[in-house]
Amino acid sequence: MTAEAPGALDLGKLFAARLHAARVRPYLATALFALRPVESREVPTMGVDRYWRCYVSPAFVDRTPVAELAAVWVHEVAHLLRDHHGRSDRYAREHRLTGPGERLRMNIAADCEINDDVYGEGLARPEDCVTPHRLGLSEGELMEDYLRQFRLGPGLERLAWLDCGSGADGLDRGWELGPDGAHGLSEQERDAIRFRVAQGIRGAPGSAPQGWRRWAEEVFHPPQPWRQLLGSALRSAVSGPGAGEDYHYGRPARRSAGLPRVVLPSLRRRPPRVCVVVDTSGSVSDAELGSALLEVAAICRAVGGRRDLVSVLSCDAAARTVQPLCRTEGIELVGGGGTDLRTGFARALRTRPDVVVVLTDGQTPWPEARPACRTVVGLFPRAGGSYDENDPGYRPDVPPAWARVVTIGSAAGRGMR
Amino acid sequence: MPSCPSDTLPAGRPDAPQLAVAGALLTLLRDTTTEPRADIQLEALTLAVAADLPVLLWGEPGIGKTAALTQLATALDLPLTTVIASVHEPSDFSGLPVVGDDPAVQGVPMAPPDWAVRLVRAGRGLLFLDELSTAPPAVQAALLRLVLERRIGALRLPPGVRIVAAANPRSSAADGWELSPPLANRFVHLQWAHDHDVVVRGLGGTWPRATLPALDPERLPEAVAFARRVVCEFLVARPGLVHRLPNGESRRGGAWPSPRSWEATLRLIAFATAAGSSRDVLSLLVRGTVGDGPGLELLASLDRMDLPDPEMLLADPAGAGLPERGDLRQAVLDGVVAAVRRRPERARWDAAWALLVRAMETGAPDVVVVPATTLASLRREDWAVPAAIEQLAGAVSLSRRADEAARRAARTTGARR
């Protein structure tokens, strides 16, 4: 296994580094051992392709200490586990980005996502690694977020040598073996490895840093953008029986003329009546409310609710007046104290709606019984919960099981897969 | 299709009727060829249809679902009947009530539509229910009875008829229809996506021709035994996965595990085994039946079943075949060491050392270090150190190098923290 020829790849050093990496990051051991090292003189340092091969430059192994090589192993395997190539391809398609410059930017953004919490705890941080800090960006964000925040320019040209291979940015390189080369992993095998690593992290969450825990939670169940979720919850609520477009026996069908003696239902459209209850207590910010309210109004119109059938009710400790949503702008929201949504519900039900949509941060008592209409709750997440200094054991009630709950403002535009 | 011979082209005749010229142009446009290409989506669909499970294709409109169904019908030699759900009325599927002379005596028969009568008369066919998600709720309700109970009015579809439905994903569905959990549980959900290369090449004149899986009559008993063993062993180990209702807004409407969907999984594994399909195809099917999480776990346990049995390896260390991939190889070696720990005997201990030496000689040495350390700790006082250990010197030095790197890294990262 050991190479004696000058300039040959020092496999012993490379494998010692991998062993060290697997010891300090036991939850990544499966993925590290699944990587297949391939000697390459064209890659500047180390790079991966999407088939889990790892291209290694012999000169780089020679000049790099074992501890630092271990860090590079972890870095490269992180590109693959976090599916940076697939996410780069998707980002490039969505934003119509082409060319090697953009792919370099994706490689840098992917490095930022990895590097902010991958080192330390036994792994040496390589001297010239890219961090969000060096680009003047804040830590802990995702590759897609970083991509929006910087562009190539002066000060970044020294990063132009940076190259983690197609596994990092989705652009195929000349030196890579491609899909038909030896020892590539199939998509199912790659998924299986990622799944096993995620399971290991979830099984023993104490040992992994926050970034990896978040990855493990979301890798096979990425949170969907809240707009889509809220939209589908609302649409299915307003198109349920009794509202929307459906068949009724109230009027004869157009086919009836041709079929005497047969009773047929006819298609009728009954636009849904939607009442939006907005929690205007002090704990919900105006920006949050504004974006969610516009979303609800747009969705209601899209599913056939006439504007005069969508009403908005602001509610803090007491329910205020109900306003029809006749204008696109200028919905007046009043309030600002504590919250009691029970009064809001009671007031909303007096308009006999088909659907009640509640926008709230959830720090409120909820009605005891299920109301007589479908309920969608748009929930603004609050980290840590509320705290009452008179009652440290106080916990706000969670939204009831009969409501469909969509968490708003979290994970928008995020997608780990 | 033969290329258009030039003598049929009316090009030289300026007085040719315009429609004839248009016809010649259309003939030229239709003149395409096909090339063989593996298509795992189509293979999965074929197997699920052959296994007589209702399939639901999720895909954006215009993505080639109908083209795939046409190819499938040809492969299975079934006549294809396409029904666009959104242009029908509920009574087209539940039957038109026809009042006879004396309803009190004869009752009111529910007359089926003509295509259903033709299907029943033919006794076999592929029924494709397109646009399921854009039909009004009452039509969907009538259709689901057709899918699940195979009844149209007074008729019952014969067993030779297979049903495939298609729906748009929730995010793009105009009417926000979604499956309730009991319905979702009865379908095999296949995500239908287009392959960019295939489309571009097809528009250039060459469409793919998938070679579809054929069941091997000789493998049927073996396939059933294998499928039963896979599912039962897995559910014995993971009893919590036998039945788990989907929770959370983002998982609504998808596949989830229940005794019913596990039975479907068992059937699909047997079909995939009998057809000799790849793991990628099986992965699509299993994940589409019981959901991503449980499906991936089952596949992971399948991978483990593929690994050689530790007892067999210990019985014949010289002839042992170890897997190529590092992570699998480590799993096998860990299994061997665990087997020795369960029943520690001198001969087994020696055999395990021989296996480690073999692993050292045929692959990456870092994989061997942890099993070797564990095996060494199992030594009894009266067992002499085997001569084979000499050959593991490489692993020992590797381990020492990693230790040294760890010490150095601890110093530097410790100082930085």
Side-chain angles (χ1 to χ4, degrees):
Chain A
M1 289 306 303
T2 48
E4 306 299 336
L9 180 59
D10 185 354
L11 277 173
K13 189 171 178 185
L14 194 64
F15 285 134
R18 182 160 80 170
L19 182 63
H20 171 51
R23 278 179 180 167
V24 292
R25 298 285 185 277
Y27 48 88
L28 299 181
T30 301
L32 283 167
F33 287 134
L35 269 182
R36 179 93 188 183
V38 177
E39 178 174 343
S40 168
R41 281 164 206 284
E42 286 173 79
V43 60
T45 54
M46 270 165 83
V48 282
D49 70 8
R50 58 179 81 215
Y51 308 99
W52 286 66
R53 302 188 198 95
C54 183
Y55 302 88
V56 190
S57 149
F60 174 69
V61 173
D62 275 342
R63 69 170 184 264
T64 314
V66 174
E68 213 168 287
L69 268 181
V72 180
W73 270 110
V74 171
H75 176 97
E76 298 300 339
V77 89
H79 277 309
L80 295 175
L81 284 171
R82 292 170 182 233
D83 190 28
H84 280 152
H85 46 92
R87 288 161 65 192
S88 292
D89 285 346
R90 275 195 294 280
Y91 192 90
R93 251 200 320 276
E94 278 164 26
H95 296 81
R96 298 182 193 178
L97 304 178
T98 50
E102 286 298 336
R103 293 291 178 169
L104 173 63
R105 224 159 62 79
M106 288 171 196
N107 196 340
I108 294 173
D111 278 7
C112 284
E113 179 188 311
I114 294 174
N115 285 350
D116 55 5
D117 64 354
V118 77
Y119 303 118
E121 309 283 330
L123 278 189
R125 179 193 293 265
E127 279 308 313
D128 47 0
C129 76
V130 190
T131 57
H133 180 72
R134 273 177 70 176
L135 298 180
L137 304 172
S138 57
E139 297 202 336
E141 293 186 47
L142 296 171
M143 169 186 157
E144 288 83 357
D145 301 326
Y146 287 128
L147 271 174
R148 278 190 279 275
Q149 297 176 35
F150 75 95
R151 48 194 68 257
L152 296 179
L156 280 181
E157 69 275 350
R158 65 201 150 76
L159 295 176
W161 58 267
L162 180 137
D163 193 345
C164 291
S166 66
D169 54 21
L171 181 72
D172 290 332
R173 309 293 204 274
W175 66 76
E176 293 177 350
L177 298 177
D180 304 322
H183 305 301
L185 300 192
S186 75
E187 189 174 353
Q188 190 263 328
E189 290 173 312
R190 289 176 262 164
D191 272 357
I193 293 171
R194 298 167 71 215
F195 179 73
R196 224 168 300 155
V197 172
Q199 240 187 345
I201 293 176
R202 268 181 302 189
S207 58
Q210 175 64 34
W212 280 114
R213 285 209 300 275
R214 188 176 70 185
W215 169 79
E217 285 301 322
E218 296 175 355
V219 56
F220 286 106
H221 288 290
Q224 286 189 20
W226 64 268
R227 282 194 171 81
Q228 275 183 22
L229 286 179
L230 186 65
S232 72
L234 256 170
R235 277 195 222 103
S236 83
V238 298
S239 64
E245 200 177 37
D246 208 350
Y247 285 86
H248 295 267
Y249 283 89
R251 236 179 4 183
R254 60 191 162 79
R255 285 186 184 176
S256 296
L259 295 163
R261 316 187 64 187
V262 176
V263 184
L264 293 174
S266 65
L267 193 60
R268 275 205 58 191
R269 192 179 185 83
R270 196 171 82 76
R273 227 192 292 256
V274 180
C275 186
V276 187
V277 180
V278 180
D279 178 349
T280 47
S281 60
S283 51
V284 183
S285 83
D286 291 353
E288 285 176 331
L289 277 181
S291 66
L293 192 53
L294 282 180
E295 207 63 37
V296 170
I299 294 162
C300 288
R301 279 198 298 275
V303 296
R306 299 197 312 264
R307 270 195 222 169
D308 54 319
L309 292 178
V310 181
S311 50
V312 177
L313 166 68
S314 46
C315 169
D316 46 14
R320 310 289 167 138
T321 51
V322 179
Q323 303 176 355
L325 183 70
C326 291
R327 309 170 294 270
T328 349
E329 76 290 342
I331 305 153
E332 193 186 335
L333 298 172
V334 284
T339 327
D340 188 348
L341 275 180
R342 287 175 298 193
T343 60
F345 264 101
R347 182 72 189 82
L349 289 176
R350 272 161 45 200
T351 65
R352 306 188 62 77
D354 294 304
V355 183
V356 172
V357 181
V358 186
L359 300 175
T360 176
D361 60 357
Q363 318 216 336
T364 169
W366 295 90
E368 291 289 318
R370 177 181 199 137
C373 63
R374 287 174 282 275
T375 311
V376 176
V377 175
L379 194 67
F380 301 102
R382 287 289 173 269
S386 82
Y387 176 74
D388 185 343
E389 55 186 298
N390 299 322
D391 180 9
Y394 167 78
R395 289 281 174 280
D397 299 331
V398 292
W402 40 259
R404 296 187 57 163
V405 182
V406 176
T407 307
I408 289 181
S410 72
R414 182 185 288 181
M416 296 298 268
R417 236 172 79 89
Chain B
M1 192 174 294
S3 66
C4 194
S6 56
D7 55 5
T8 66
L9 279 179
R13 297 172 7 227
D15 57 332
Q18 276 302 302
L19 270 184
V21 183
L25 182 56
L26 285 175
T27 311
L28 269 182
L29 279 172
R30 267 192 296 261
D31 183 18
T32 55
T33 55
T34 56
E35 61 182 358
R37 184 188 171 101
D39 185 342
I40 63 167
Q41 285 185 133
L42 194 56
E43 203 176 332
L45 173 64
T46 312
L47 283 177
V49 168
D52 198 15
L53 294 167
V55 181
L56 186 53
L57 302 181
W58 292 95
E60 307 286 341
I63 213 166
K65 296 190 286 273
T66 313
L69 260 291
T70 314
Q71 205 172 11
L72 174 68
T74 320
L76 295 176
D77 189 25
L78 289 174
L80 175 67
T81 306
T82 302
V83 177
I84 310 279
S86 51
V87 298
H88 284 271
E89 299 195 352
S91 45
D92 293 346
F93 300 111
S94 56
L96 288 155
V98 179
V99 185
D101 291 335
D102 193 351
V105 177
Q106 293 157 353
V108 178
M110 304 295 267
D114 63 333
W115 55 262
V117 175
R118 276 199 303 265
L119 257 182
V120 171
R121 199 175 296 149
R124 50 198 282 284
L126 182 62
L127 176 57
F128 178 39
L129 303 169
D130 205 357
E131 308 266 344
L132 200 57
S133 50
T134 44
V139 175
Q140 288 170 8
L143 267 176
L144 290 167
R145 181 153 178 268
L146 163 60
V147 173
L148 304 176
E149 296 173 30
R150 307 174 67 93
R151 298 195 77 100
I152 315 168
L155 284 182
R156 178 181 273 278
L157 290 179
V161 174
R162 302 291 157 92
I163 302 174
V164 178
N168 299 336
R170 285 204 305 169
S171 52
S172 68
D175 274 344
W177 176 63
E178 65 182 27
L179 294 174
S180 66
L183 289 179
N185 197 233
R186 288 173 158 95
F187 280 107
V188 178
H189 303 251
L190 291 182
Q191 307 293 331
W192 210 259
H194 73 279
D195 185 335
H196 178 258
D197 297 340
V198 168
V199 173
V200 172
R201 209 167 150 63
L203 293 175
T206 311
W207 287 102
R209 181 182 66 243
T211 40
L212 292 173
L215 301 173
D216 180 357
E218 308 233 311
R219 297 184 68 181
L220 301 187
E222 168 207 346
V224 172
F226 175 72
R228 291 214 165 111
R229 191 159 60 93
V230 170
V231 173
C232 295
E233 277 185 17
F234 176 68
L235 290 182
V236 165
R238 293 298 315 267
L241 287 181
V242 172
H243 188 270
R244 204 173 63 187
L245 267 164
N247 56 340
E249 191 67 28
S250 57
R251 286 176 224 185
R252 271 170 184 266
W256 56 278
S258 78
R260 188 204 337 259
S261 52
W262 282 118
E263 199 192 329
T265 307
L266 198 153
R267 206 191 284 186
L268 289 169
I269 294 175
F271 269 77
T273 312
S277 294
S278 71
R279 278 290 155 80
D280 292 295
V281 174
L282 190 60
S283 169
L284 285 185
L285 288 170
V286 170
R287 287 162 74 172
T289 311
V290 291
D292 269 348
L296 281 163
E297 273 196 54
L298 177 81
L299 291 164
S301 84
L302 253 181
D303 284 346
R304 274 195 296 278
M305 282 175 67
D306 284 347
L307 297 181
D309 180 24
E311 294 299 334
M312 304 275 282
L313 291 177
L314 284 174
D316 179 21
L322 294 167
E324 273 282 303
R325 242 170 70 194
D327 57 326
L328 298 181
R329 179 171 280 224
Q330 200 191 25
V332 168
L333 295 179
D334 282 346
V336 165
V337 174
V340 174
R341 185 198 295 275
R342 267 198 306 279
R343 195 151 57 83
E345 286 165 18
R346 176 71 199 273
R348 291 160 66 82
W349 195 64
D350 285 344
W353 281 116
L355 271 173
L356 290 185
V357 168
R358 220 182 131 68
M360 178 85 190
E361 284 165 355
T362 53
D366 52 343
V367 174
V368 182
V369 172
V370 174
T373 320
T374 323
L375 190 62
S377 71
L378 295 180
R379 191 171 85 92
R380 298 285 163 89
E381 300 232 328
D382 52 335
W383 293 355
V385 177
I389 274 192
E390 292 290 313
Q391 285 156 282
L392 289 174
V396 174
S397 76
L398 201 70
S399 174
R400 210 171 286 136
R401 263 174 111 167
D403 287 341
E404 198 182 316
R407 266 196 303 281
R408 210 172 300 141
R411 265 203 307 280
T412 54
T413 58
R416 206 170 284 171
R417 244 181 292 137

